[in-house]
Amino acid sequence: MAEFLIETIGLPTWFAWTAIAGLSAFLILNVIAGGALVFIWAERKIAARIQDRLGPTRTGGRFGWLQSLADGIKLLAKEDLMPDGADALLFRLAPYVSFCASFCAFIALPFAFDTVGQRLNVGVFFVVAVLGLEVFGVILAGYASASKWSLFGAMREAAQVVSYEVPLGMCVVVPVMLAGSMDLVTIGEKQAGWAMNWFIFHDPFTFIIFWVYCTCAIASVNRAPFDLAEAESELVAGFHTEYSGLRWSFFFMAEYGSMFLVSALAAILFLGGWNGPVPVSELLGFSDGVAANAPFALRFIGCMNLFLKATAGVLLMMWIRWTLPRLRIDQVMTTCLKYCTPIAAAMFLGVMLWQLFLPGGLVPGSFRAAAGVREGWLEQSYRKESAEDESLSLKNLSRHISEVSR
Amino acid sequence: MAAAQLLPILLGIAWLIPLVSFVAILFFGPRMGAHGKGAATVATTAIGASLLLSLIALVSWTLAGHPVRSEHHDDNHASIQSHDAGQSPGIWPASHRSPAHSDAVGDSAGHASGHASGHGEVSAPISYSGDWYTLYASGALRLSIGWYIDSITVLMFVVVTFIATCIHVYAAGYMHDELHDVTDSEVQLETGESLHREGRFHRFFQALSLFCFSMLGIVIAGNLAMVFIFWELVGICSWFLIGFYFERHSASTAANKAFIVNRVGDFGMLIGLMALWGGLGTLHFGDSVSSATGQVEQGLFELVRPAENHHEQQVPDGLVAFAAADQIEKMAASNPSRSELRRKVAASVPGWREQGYGKWLLFVAGIGIFCGCVGKSAQVPLFVWLPDAMEGPTPVSALVHSATMVAAGVYLVGRFFPVLTPDVLLVIAYTGGLTLFIAATIAVTATDIKRVLAYSTVSQLGYMMLALGVGGWVAGLFHLITHAFFKSLLFLCSGSVIHACHTNDMRKMGGLLKVMPYTAWTMLIGCLAIIGAGVPFVLGLSGYYSKDAILAQALLFSRTNPQHSILYVAVAGGAFITAFYMFRLWFMTFAGAPRDEHVFKHAHESPRVMTVPLVALAIFAVVAGWALPGGLGVESLIEQSRPAGTAETTTTAGIFGTLTVPAEHESHAGAIHVTATLTAFATALAGVLLAGVMYFKPLISPVAVAHAARPIYTFLVNRWYVDELYHGIFVLPTLGAARFISAIDTQVIDRFINVLAWTAKRVASVDAWFDRVVVDGIVNLAGRATWKAGLELKRMQTGNLRQYVMFIVVGTVAIFVLATLLFRTSVAG
Amino acid sequence: MNQDAFSISLSLFALIDWHGFFFLLFAAIACIAALMVVLTDNVVRMALHLILSLGATAGLFFLAGAEFIGAMQLMIYVGGTLVLLVFGVMLTAQTQLVALRTPAGDRVLAGILAAALLAVLVQAAFSIESWQKSGQGIVSAPTATPLGMALVGVRVDQSAEANLLDAKGGYLLPFEIVSVHLLVVLIGAAYLARAKRRRVPRPVDLMASVDSVEPRSTVDSPSTVLSGGAE
Amino acid sequence: MMLALLGVASVSHYLVVGAIMFCCGVVCMAVKRNALGVLMGIELVLNGANLNFVAFGSNYLAADGRSPLGLDGEVMALFVILLAAAEAAVALAITLNFYNNHATVDVDRADDLHG
Amino acid sequence: MVQTLDEDQRIIEFDVRTDEMLVNMGPQHPSTHGVLRLVLRTDGEIVSELEPHIGYLHRCAEKIGENLTARQWIPYTDRMDYLAAMNMNLGWSLAVEKLLRYQVSEKARHLRVLIVELNRIASHLVGMGAYGLDLGTFSPFLYAFREREKILDLYEEVCGARLTYSYITVGGMTADLPPGWLQRCEAFLDQFEPIIQEYHTLLTTNAIFVKRTATIGVLSPEMAIDYGCTGPVLRGSGVDIDLRRDGESIYTAMYDGYAFEVAVMKNGHYPRDHEYPAVPKDAVLGDCWHRFFVRMLEVVQSMDLVRQSIDRYSQCKGALGEPLKLAEKLPAGDTYLETECPKGQMGFYLVTDGTPIPWRVRARSSSFSNLAVSPELCRGCLIADVPAVVGSLDVVMGEIDR
């Protein structure tokens, strides 16, 4: 887009880039903040429906759709309290740390094949790593609150998140292995075409590991039944017991942002990302020529696809939250260390062997109608990297080796 | 998809599904529902799916329009179709040669038309063979997992899966005791209590699935090696299943007995396999394409009955050359080139064949393979295991006795028929005859309901073997299939009775007709079927057709070979005894007044899950023999795959003198057929009547008869003293030898070793002194010196971590400074 | 605003070396945070500063074009520090925030030594001419793939595509050694920190599965709680 | 002032940053009596060293576009990170063990090995 | 069946030495069921000692009773176990009737069974829902309250109140049932019956629920008896006591002719347990799961009793009988009577001196004894188990503090 500003409108290069960066940051911020508003409202409605009641009905007219906004205003107006014995600096800092981590991770998250804040060639790891930093906010909050309940919450959160990063990382490596790249855009593009191309359907192992990922993702964003850090029946409100007002809402924005993020990551890694189950755009003939001229339509469809999938993931988490009791901390750790990690490891091995023997996936060669349609468009924006990747991929290497040995 | 591609896929999947079920139950059995209840569903679904696929295979076989090879037929249509099929790589109809090969032996289509004018029977039947996977290939030996599919394969698949399905369903009801903890009152622990153990429901179905898989493996097997593998698998499965109640001593003994007796037969089979492989270098039935070289390898059938010889049997070149190894060595002594030697050998092979080289080898191969069949199909002298195998649960008996294990032997003889020489066939016929007679006589005196059926199975297997031996290929296999239906029916019925009465003893039963009508009537149908009841020349139960065919063939055989007339007598007599003991069983069980009130009072009809399979099997016991219009009957289906060259009468001078194996279709000729039918009818009727007067309306007291013929009765009750004989001949000498060897071990070897040990001890004590004084002294000195040095050095150790860090930093800085001062140029530059 | 002033300030703005700017930013954060680690006594705050420092270092790695290393730094290193922090809180948050102060003499000594070391190091850093030249700013190729290939023993960065197999100098062996080493270390750590004591169970726990007892006729009679246990 | 920001990012600058971190780490190790503080010092030291590796391995920083170390620098940095993680694990385990036995994390009390 | 020490999962191993922490759970904590204060001494997350502090809700109800006539004190009994006020009313009424040697009419007897058993359902519904809440699942709570609301609606029709009814009084009831009430009650039962399965799905058989409750807080039968535990807590430990069957004759006479089986595990089986989810493998008798399950079974049992009483009541002719006059004199003497309330055995003791106002009034509450055992149950468990254990005891602070 920056090129568009530079070439068509004629803005200075630096200004174009800065403007685009600012715009991206603004948009992502809105995704989080707006998303949190919508999701909080949705959670209330969904919880209400699950529990056979109505939920918010009045604020904002029908469906109480302005409820979260009203609550937000209420929170803004609330007195900002801090306990006497608190570590003032850390107490104030903690919510922003959480929020920033959640926000930063969005930088590398592509919403469509080229709609991404900053395309990183280690995108997956960047997202996972930065998301892992969110826990600092929680720990600092728990420590700084000078409350024993908060400290308990922080401890649990730390233990849980650190443990779950192991299986989560293993789950994430699988799509990386399948795509041969850590770039989220590349990973998404590899799944273009029909739904059968999605990595979840690549082989039985990926199918299983997807569910492991779901479990670990829920655990790493602290949602029920893994919401140990804020377990209200045990720890009052866990790490945010002492928080109120805007700071408190920052934790919530971070939580909903992370929920959306891990869901979007699941969508990109396993569920085809911005590719629909049916390659509608390709079938309609948005081929190279058209695509080059009308990328906005494609982008829009892609964004919608990803949003839908990620939203579905968020809704799934809500469904689970309002259905299941909470696990105990030792059970949470058992789930991670005794089940998720070994399963993830075994599946990782399985996918590896599968790649070795059946590199084409479950239905090799078929349904690959639409792959590569957008390649021209992508190459334009990231030509160098893709060329590099292609030449260095393992496939090529093995071809070289076989040629040499012959 | 053409049948050639479709059938291996269908049957292959049908074959593998039970394996999947086995693996699933193996790993997840205990977790399938409460107490592994779901295992039954899994196994039944699996075998049901196999049945479905088999039925589809049967339909596709029929639809593929394979010619009915009864009297006149025309191969062209089918050949063309198989020709089409042959184009796809990896799938290789046995009747067909590759285009590259066709100039040598001729295309089968042209071949068939070329000879159709003559005797008309010379072209090979349609069959498909190929390999899925090569297990091992080295030199000439290629062990592979492959298929050989003709109409018998398809039919056997349907029969095996159908009966197995029925039995699975039945067993789900029968084995329900195993769903909970079981108290086995037949096993007494040392404490005097009955054994209390967990239920093994899933284990049963696990073994059942593996059993079905193994049996189907034998049926579909494309080569003898694969047959042997699955042969052994069937053996181990029977071991599992017969020994299902392994805590019972009798059950574990019976399982071991079945296994060991079978090993005896399998040893013979191994010899046969070696003979064939050594001589021919292949164990494949049909022709196949070697995946390694891409060349066509001729299969056993083609080698023994080459097409250019009008499918007449001849000793294959390989066997001839193998037998004439010394001649070849002589030729090789003059150091000819390899190709020259090969040419020379090829030239002299016909001459050697005339001299009878290899004839014995072929005979040994045939007898060897038959040995395996003797064990598996419980022929004399290896039939002793089968009655004991009754220790397994009844569904197992039904499965073992009808469609799977014992059928395997007959099936293999049938499958291997083209390779068997007339001499072998004669041996088979006599073995069968002897078996059928001995077993039938034993059955007459048995009182255990399952044992009667067991001996009747042995006897019927004898029938089949005899039929095959006298050239009644179709008759034997036909009887195999009809027998499978009614024998499984009979066993399941008896199981139902046992389930109701909780006893096996027929002397405690009687009058059960009233309380268990389903069981009684279906069992009556089974009895009628096994004795071959029917209205002569009009309609009959399945047994009627197959038994008549055997009788007719036996009669024809004894007419053409008068010196072997005894075979016909055995068959006819056997039919009489069969009728007698079967109806003795039925009358004792169901008719008359209850003998044991206690048993009668508790008797009840079995649950629906057990009676439904009975009815299903009963229907098949009735109709399985009927010929449907369009050549759809079982008999004509079998006929489609009659091995090439066995359709005409052949006369050969064999080891046992000149022998004429009459063509089977000649037994359909009026005179023979009428005589055989009437004989069968008369003997069966007589048997039933005799049973009637002894057990239904007791005009003759069975006790009196037994008393009158006491020696014979005792002899029969003790089962011809076969077990005792074996004990005397084999077991006792073995034990004696073992004792002798053990004595050598303890008296001689152990003493020698003791002496050695004593010597070593003495030497070691000397060594120890040296070690203590000299070696230890040096080491201690070094240790003391180190200790002293350490004491001095330890003052340096303050134990303060931070101080150490300081030391390191000071050291680093010092080195840097020194280096900069001393080697300024090098660092800077 | 004056049009000229606007354009001048724009052009000045354009002259900024953003790379340099971010370098300075991250370097400052890293150094100051590192210093704060030294100067703080509260363990939790120390850990916070350490995280800041390490995070800023990750930023420096990104600037230097080593994106993969940066991500790894965030993931592994910062994650590892997180554990430190947690244990810091756990072990010391309650009672021992105070009292662990070092004697001033030690501090001064350490400061002097460190200053000396720093002087030596800085001198060395500027001792070579070519190191001081600013980079060409050539956007380097992504290094994740070559890095991975190097770890499995193929140096794609050093040889042309055609003769990949001839390329030597991969890190397969060190990679394996490090892997084994990590495994050993983890086992060792688990062994070192394993449980040494166990809680003696209450009698109640030991007899949890006793079946129902008959109700007593007199509830107030002295009862005998099962005591002892399996041991 | 803004112009002064030009061209500051060179290998030497990275080395200076690394040196500062290294020295901070050393001081940290030397003055902290809390075992966890010592651990953090070690982390800083390793991190400073790592910075040098990356700086030498970066083509981006190299004056001629070809770095002295090339990929080796990054590989080394990676190894250091991994080993640092391992080291942290072991050191923590030791600290915990120490704490279990001595009920303190004061390294000055950990002088059982003195001569 | 004593497990060996090595295999015992409940033995908690230390791997980190941490400092002891003193934590206050309550009196304003979300999961302490009112104003209960638990002081926990923890070692990390492991509770080494728990001490309940009570009295935040004390309001001298017993003393007040010594200044009011027997009928006047009825509203104060409402406020003891406010979740099962009808049962409280009944206990006090029966105690006074025992003193008076008064027998209520047949019709009143069946009506009382109907009313108190319905209240037992309502009480257990709250107990169940709140227990879900304690374990972190909110939805079952609302499902339970939805059904409880319907019971409260029925009560509202009967006596005008939804929580503190004062309906059952000494000598009978304050009023007879309104017309059509029985049909509505039956309609509710029909509607409610299938919903129980829903609760089983959401909680009883839920894997996480089982994990959180099985083998947690195991209360041995001996200890249960020693601590004076009663009600579902006692029966959850396998002790077969239910005052409706084993109580004093004036109380058991009320249930004469009613068919019900005490919900307790005997020989490894609960009554009619084939109709309910199987006992999970992990659960041991006396743990939280069993206490919970006993309550679930008692809901069904009470439904049966309500149905039976509806039949009998509708067949009874005649009047309910006259309640005690507001200031009728009580004969001199003393009496004590315990009844089986939803939470356990509730006993009332009164000493009279011939005046209408009792000289002494005392109440023995079940929750008090049940809560007393919580320090034993919570020793050595995790903090997360504390709500699970205390919730499974289902205490009501109004009853404890009186």
Side-chain angles (χ1 to χ4, degrees), chain A residues 12 14-15 18 87-90 93 120-122 125-126 128-130 132-133 135-136 139-140 143 151 155 158 162 165 169 182 384-385 388-389 391-394 396-397 399-401 404-405, chain C residues 10-11 13-14 18 42 44-45 48-49 51 62 67-68 71-72 74-75 78-79 81-83 85-86 89-90 93-94 97 138-146 149 154 156 161-162 164-165:
Chain A
W14 64 269
F15 186 76
T18 317
D87 187 329
L89 171 73
L90 298 185
L93 196 65
L120 288 176
N121 72 334
V122 289
F125 277 137
F126 181 82
V128 173
V130 172
L133 298 183
V135 68
F136 283 116
I139 293 175
L140 292 181
Y143 166 74
L151 193 62
M155 289 297 147
V162 168
E165 275 205 2
M182 284 182 281
K384 204 166 174 183
E385 200 251 5
E388 188 87 16
D389 261 13
S391 68
L392 293 177
S393 68
L394 268 178
N396 269 20
L397 181 73
R399 187 164 54 78
H400 283 306
I401 290 173
V404 171
S405 62
Chain C
L10 273 189
S11 54
F13 203 58
W18 285 103
N42 183 328
V44 181
R45 287 207 177 187
L48 177 73
H49 292 135
I51 289 163
F62 275 105
E67 291 173 350
F68 185 70
M72 277 298 157
L74 280 182
M75 210 158 158
V78 183
T81 322
L82 167 69
V83 181
L85 180 138
V86 170
V89 175
M90 251 163 101
Q94 303 308 312
L97 280 176
I138 301 160
V139 179
S140 56
T143 52
T145 314
M149 302 299 283
V154 181
V156 287
E161 221 177 292
L164 276 182
L165 278 185

Side-chain angles (χ1 to χ4, degrees), chain E residues 123-140:
Chain E
S123 168
H124 282 339
L125 280 178
V126 176
M128 180 208 78
Y131 195 41
L133 209 54
D134 288 340
L135 298 179
T137 175
F138 192 60
S139 299

Side-chain angles (χ1 to χ4, degrees), chain B residues 429-711:
Chain B
Y430 269 96
T431 314
L434 201 56
T435 309
L436 91 86
F437 182 69
I438 292 178
T441 50
I442 297 176
V444 168
T445 57
T447 54
D448 182 323
I449 186 167
K450 274 172 83 177
R451 267 182 198 269
V452 175
L453 291 177
Y455 281 109
S456 104
T457 304
V458 177
S459 168
Q460 297 297 317
L461 290 168
Y463 264 107
M464 296 168 206
M465 285 296 184
L466 187 142
L468 290 165
V470 297
W473 187 79
V474 172
L477 290 176
F478 186 27
H479 195 57
L480 174 65
I481 285 169
T482 56
H483 173 258
F485 286 116
F486 53 68
K487 186 47 64 69
S488 55
L489 169 63
L490 284 169
F491 262 107
L492 294 190
C493 285
S494 77
S496 176
V497 170
I498 295 167
H499 192 70
C501 298
H502 297 289
T503 175
N504 288 7
D505 195 341
M506 290 197 295
R507 286 170 298 190
K508 291 184 182 164
M509 300 170 187
L512 293 176
L513 176 58
K514 289 184 204 91
V515 283
M516 331 182 46
Y518 277 106
T519 311
W521 289 116
T522 47
M523 189 149 191
L524 182 62
I525 291 174
C527 290
L528 286 172
I530 199 173
I531 68 168
V535 183
F537 313 118
V538 182
L539 194 66
L541 276 60
S542 57
Y544 165 77
Y545 297 99
S546 54
K547 210 159 221 181
D548 271 11
I550 296 177
L551 240 72
Q553 182 66 16
L555 180 60
L556 182 62
F557 188 79
S558 61
R559 291 252 172 101
T560 42
N561 305 291
Q563 71 272 32
H564 299 305
S565 298
I566 185 76
L567 288 175
Y568 180 64
V569 178
V571 172
F576 167 71
I577 306 176
T578 307
F580 173 72
Y581 67 70
M582 282 319 295
F583 272 83
R584 168 175 174 269
L585 181 150
W586 197 82
F587 288 143
M588 280 181 88
T589 311
F590 293 106
R595 289 186 188 76
D596 188 324
E597 270 309 315
H598 179 73
V599 167
F600 184 74
K601 232 179 348 188
H602 285 84
H604 55 86
E605 183 59 279
S606 299
R608 187 66 57 84
V609 69
M610 288 165 73
T611 53
V612 167
L614 294 184
V615 176
L617 282 169
I619 292 171
F620 276 89
V622 173
V623 304
W626 295 356
L628 299 178
L632 279 182
V634 173
E635 197 172 4
S636 33
L637 271 174
I638 298 175
E639 183 68 44
Q640 284 179 8
S641 295
R642 168 184 289 286
T646 63
E648 63 255 60
T649 309
T650 50
T651 308
T652 42
I655 300 159
F656 305 119
T658 309
L659 195 67
T660 307
V661 179
E664 198 168 4
H665 63 86
E666 283 170 22
S667 71
H668 300 319
I672 302 278
H673 187 57
V674 169
T675 317
T677 309
L678 288 179
T679 315
F681 185 70
T683 48
L685 193 62
V688 175
L689 283 179
L690 185 60
V693 296
M694 283 176 80
Y695 295 99
F696 187 58
K697 292 270 181 234
L699 301 176
I700 308 170
S701 163
V703 181
V705 173
H707 199 73
R710 172 152 292 281

